[in-house]
Amino acid sequence: GIGGGAAMDLFGDLRRMNKRQLYYQVLNFAMIVSSALMIWKGLIVVTGSESPIVVVLSGSMEPAFHRGDLLFLTNFHDDPIRAGEIVVFKVEGRDIPIVHRVIKVHEKGNGNIKFLTKGDNNEVDDRGLYKEGQNWLEKKDVVGRARGFLPYVGMVTIIMNDYPKFKYALLAVMGAYVLLKRES
């Protein structure tokens, strides 16, 4: 079979590649990973949001956003939250942040704000999603507000969540590519 031959070639290549080259590729890979982490940390600082980029996982915000859209978030505390804005919030007891629109805002005299959210595509507001006895969100629940988006780029994330085998295949291919990439 072709598959077996390709695998043998791969190992032959790895054996022939001298140690220095291997070290170089491993360092190269480590640099790519650490650069990505630094960029991520930088985005967190610049945007004020603990997750500056999120993927829309459900269809509850269609047609504004679709499953797989990548959202860019900012979370500046001085910015007032307004009705009509799209926010990403976390609810106690749920791991995954929710992307929905603010439909009502209550501002108190002391500057405290409470607000209610709803998915554009949902029949009812989000009170059923909040933790029991919680009727409003507060600023501390907000992870960020949508500032821009790239359509469907996040589909890869969704596919990796839905099909874990795909994730491992993708990682294996990326790893092999980094190891075998010859310096031209």
Side-chain angles (χ1 to χ4, degrees):
I2 298 168
M8 290 311 293
D9 283 354
L10 186 74
F11 288 118
D13 273 357
L14 283 174
R15 264 205 304 279
R16 280 193 295 277
M17 188 188 282
N18 59 28
K19 281 209 174 79
R20 177 183 297 243
Q21 235 180 332
L22 189 65
Y23 288 141
Y24 177 75
Q25 297 296 43
V26 168
L27 278 173
N28 212 359
F29 189 63
M31 282 193 43
I32 292 168
V33 171
S34 58
S35 306
L37 283 171
M38 279 163 59
I39 290 169
W40 183 251
K41 289 284 183 210
L43 277 173
I44 289 176
V45 171
V46 171
T47 61
S49 172
E50 67 196 56
S51 37
I53 299 173
V54 294
V55 175
V56 179
L57 295 176
S58 79
S60 65
M61 277 301 290
E62 290 174 7
F65 298 125
H66 295 272
R67 238 184 130 205
D69 288 356
L70 204 66
L71 298 186
F72 300 99
L73 310 181
T74 60
N75 198 14
F76 302 120
H77 282 289
D78 306 340
D79 279 4
I81 288 175
R82 296 273 172 253
E85 249 189 325
I86 293 166
V87 295
V88 179
F89 61 91
K90 271 190 122 154
V91 179
E92 248 177 76
R94 280 176 187 262
D95 295 337
I96 298 171
I98 298 169
V99 181
H100 280 174
R101 194 181 297 275
V102 175
I103 55 168
K104 278 187 191 152
V105 178
H106 277 286
E107 225 161 325
K108 292 201 183 129
N110 61 6
N112 268 0
I113 294 181
K114 290 180 160 189
F115 52 94
L116 180 62
T117 52
K118 174 183 174 298
D120 288 0
N121 204 11
N122 292 352
E123 294 288 309
V124 293
D125 64 42
D126 289 344
R127 288 199 167 127
L129 298 173
Y130 303 160
K131 69 170 196 269
E132 223 174 306
Q134 180 181 4
N135 287 327
W136 301 92
L137 289 178
E138 291 173 46
K139 246 181 174 165
K140 62 173 172 45
D141 302 313
V142 174
V143 177
R145 301 121 184 254
R147 287 288 178 245
F149 76 102
L150 283 175
Y152 300 117
V153 178
M155 271 327 262
V156 179
T157 315
I158 290 183
I159 293 166
M160 291 199 304
N161 283 341
D162 292 354
Y163 309 101
K165 286 196 185 93
F166 176 80
K167 179 162 50 183
Y168 298 122
L170 192 70
L171 288 171
V173 167
M174 284 165 63
Y177 173 75
V178 169
L179 282 174
L180 295 175
K181 197 180 66 174
R182 292 273 193 278
E183 289 307 306
S184 44

